[in-house]
């Protein structure tokens, strides 16, 4: 009789209600222990809220280019179980229903830009696998917080997600406060070229969204926003020259090996990053930019985009775009704090350099 009383006294575990960035609602009976993700950068997001992010994964796309070779090697050394994870298509490819079902996840987490079609979603859900959509790419400043909160709630790490987001929010607020009173005429024209010089044609650019949102938020004028209606697209060189950008920022990383692009990140020295950045702006047409004439040429690791680590991007872009307002901002200190408080595998650099 006592045993029966004790069993009845234990409350049933509350269900976990999730609402993704598309507004769809999903309910889990218990925290997910086997996530499927379609973007390797979601691993970095999970690392901010779990000491062992691999322990909550069933499958990932093994898109090492999105996190960098050295970072992948560090995660592999810390969490060898990453080698046993099932491989699925990345958000850059087509969703494979067969791969998703074979991985047997508790929850399938897709990118906003790579989410399954309604028909594919229905087939995945018919197999008993709930589906949610998060976004660190299209509108990072709007969707980052609800996306990380969803990952926290889904995996039983809500408190840690709230802790990191409070830290992030305090830093974003400080940047916004330092821009008080900024007028439109004080916004310099900024050309940020993702994967700069990866191919011979010019030029990749954010449009309305992606890192373009960050450029605007830190007081710059993204030259791509006027002509690219999506998060990402291309500008022709004649347009860029006519805009005469006052600040130029190239992104690159280890995925640029074998190209004429920027080599930056923990795989390289700062000197190598500057050498390759100089090569990027030596292309025809670039010498006439105000940014080149005024020595406002910078390089950024692409791995600092499209994850909650874009907090570092917000701060370094603020310093580059408005050095007069952010001279005292110490981005390296922010990195050290995130490494100490949140990450088992620390962020290593160099992840940003300036040419002069």
């Amino acid at each position: 009789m006592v045993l029966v009383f004790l069993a009845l006294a234990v409350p049933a575990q509350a269900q976990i209600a999730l609402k993704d960035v598309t507004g769809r609602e999903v309910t889990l009976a218990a925290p997910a222990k086997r996530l499927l993700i379609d973007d390797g950068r979601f691993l970095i997001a999970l690392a901010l809220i779990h000491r062992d992010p691999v322990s909550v994964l069933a499958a990932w796309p093994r898109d090492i280019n999105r996190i960098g070779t050295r970072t992948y090697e560090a995660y592999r050394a810390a969490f060898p179980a990453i080698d046993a994870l099932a491989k699925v298509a990345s958000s850059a490819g087509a969703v494979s229903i067969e791969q998703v079902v074979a991985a047997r996840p508790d929850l399938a987490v897709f990118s906003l830009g790579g989410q399954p079609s309604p028909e594919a979603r229905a087939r995945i859900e018919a197999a008993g696998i709930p589906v949610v959509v998060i976004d660190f790419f299209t509108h990072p400043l709007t969707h980052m917080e609800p996306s990380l909160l969803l990952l926290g709630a889904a995996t039983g790490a809500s408190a840690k997600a709230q802790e990191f987001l409070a830290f992030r929010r305090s830093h974003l607020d400080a940047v916004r406060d330092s821009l008080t009173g900024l007028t439109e005429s004080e916004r310099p024209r900024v050309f940020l070229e993702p994967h700069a010089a990866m191919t011979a044609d010019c030029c990749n650019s954010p449009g309305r969204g992606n890192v373009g949102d960050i450029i605007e938020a830190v007081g710059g004028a993204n030259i791509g926003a006027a002509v690219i209606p999506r998060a990402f697209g291309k500008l022709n060189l004649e347009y860029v020259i006519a805009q005469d950008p006052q600040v130029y920022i190239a992104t690159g990383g280890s995925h640029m090996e074998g190209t004429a692009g920027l080599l930056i990140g923990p795989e390289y020295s700062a000197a190598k990053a500057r050498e390759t950045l100089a090569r990027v702006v030596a292309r025809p047409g670039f010498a006439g930019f105000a940014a080149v004439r005024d020595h406002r040429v910078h390089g950024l690791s692409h791995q600092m985009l499209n994850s909650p680590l874009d907090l570092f991007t917000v701060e370094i872009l603020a310093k580059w775009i408005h050095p007069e307002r952010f001279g005292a901002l110490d981005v390296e200190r922010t990195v050290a704090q995130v490494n100490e408080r949140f990450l088992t595998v620390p962020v290593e650099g160099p992840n940003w350099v300036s040419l002069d």
Side-chain angles (χ1 to χ4, degrees):
M1 183 63 70
V2 174
L3 291 176
V4 172
F5 175 80
L6 289 175
L8 293 174
V10 176
Q13 185 168 2
Q15 291 188 321
I16 301 169
L18 306 174
K19 187 174 183 178
D20 72 11
V21 297
T22 71
R24 295 184 75 254
E25 296 182 355
V26 168
T27 301
L28 303 180
K33 297 181 179 178
R34 291 175 52 80
L35 295 183
L36 177 148
I37 58 175
D38 73 342
D39 189 322
R41 291 167 293 207
F42 295 175
L43 170 66
I44 308 301
L46 288 166
L48 290 164
I49 59 176
H50 288 277
R51 301 305 293 175
D52 180 353
V54 173
S55 68
V56 295
L57 289 181
W60 76 307
R62 198 178 167 82
D63 46 350
I64 295 167
N65 60 302
R66 284 176 163 172
I67 63 174
T69 54
R70 182 70 63 86
T71 298
Y72 167 70
E73 290 165 0
Y75 273 82
R76 189 182 185 207
F79 314 115
I82 197 170
D83 284 340
L85 297 178
K87 185 178 184 297
V88 293
S90 82
S91 60
V95 175
S96 167
I97 298 169
E98 292 74 18
Q99 285 181 338
V100 174
V101 173
R104 298 181 294 107
D106 299 331
L107 181 67
V109 183
F110 290 99
S111 308
L112 181 61
Q115 63 181 301
S117 66
E119 295 77 14
R121 182 197 302 273
R123 289 178 60 188
I124 293 169
E125 291 176 336
I129 301 168
V131 173
V132 292
V133 175
I134 65 175
D135 177 40
F136 298 144
F137 178 88
T138 305
H139 292 295
L141 295 180
T142 303
H143 289 159
M144 185 73 67
E145 189 158 321
S147 295
L148 194 64
L149 286 173
L150 184 149
L151 290 177
T155 61
S158 288
K160 200 66 179 177
Q162 290 280 11
E163 182 186 352
F164 175 76
L165 289 171
F167 174 88
R168 181 176 184 271
R169 202 176 302 123
S170 69
H171 283 252
L172 296 182
D173 288 348
V175 169
R176 185 189 63 240
D177 292 346
S178 294
L179 292 168
T180 299
L182 185 75
T183 65
E184 286 302 310
S185 64
E186 293 175 308
R187 290 177 174 267
R189 298 180 302 280
V190 179
F191 174 33
L192 188 147
E193 187 180 12
H195 315 295
M198 176 178 271
T199 58
D201 60 330
C202 182
C203 303
N204 295 327
S205 173
R208 298 174 193 170
N210 195 255
V211 69
D213 286 354
I214 295 176
I215 292 170
E216 298 291 335
V218 300
N222 169 30
I223 68 168
V227 292
I228 301 174
R230 304 170 303 282
F232 180 82
K234 276 191 176 290
L235 303 173
N236 62 55
L237 181 58
E238 291 74 17
Y239 173 83
V240 178
I241 292 171
Q243 291 296 304
D244 193 20
Q246 296 163 285
V247 181
Y248 172 77
I249 303 164
T251 80
S254 59
H255 63 291
M256 303 292 279
E257 283 283 1
T259 75
L262 173 66
L263 300 179
I264 189 170
E267 298 86 356
Y268 310 102
S269 66
K272 182 67 172 180
R274 290 190 184 93
E275 173 192 329
T276 55
L277 179 58
R279 181 176 66 191
V280 166
V281 292
R283 289 177 291 166
F286 279 60
F289 294 173
V292 176
R293 296 194 308 270
D294 297 338
H295 308 291
R296 301 185 70 181
V297 173
H298 311 285
L300 176 69
S301 168
H302 201 82
Q303 283 67 42
M304 294 296 102
L305 304 179
N306 310 323
S307 87
L309 296 183
D310 71 0
L311 166 61
F312 308 145
T313 298
V314 170
E315 292 194 339
I316 196 64
L317 262 60
K319 285 183 71 72
W320 288 339
I321 293 171
H322 286 287
E324 75 287 355
R325 290 178 180 249
F326 293 99
L329 178 56
D330 187 347
V331 189
E332 296 297 342
R333 182 171 183 270
T334 303
V335 175
Q337 290 174 324
V338 171
N339 283 341
E340 180 180 351
R341 291 180 56 181
F342 300 102
L343 291 173
T344 303
V345 177
V347 173
E348 297 180 323
N351 288 305
W352 40 81
V353 296
S354 296
L355 191 55
D356 185 25

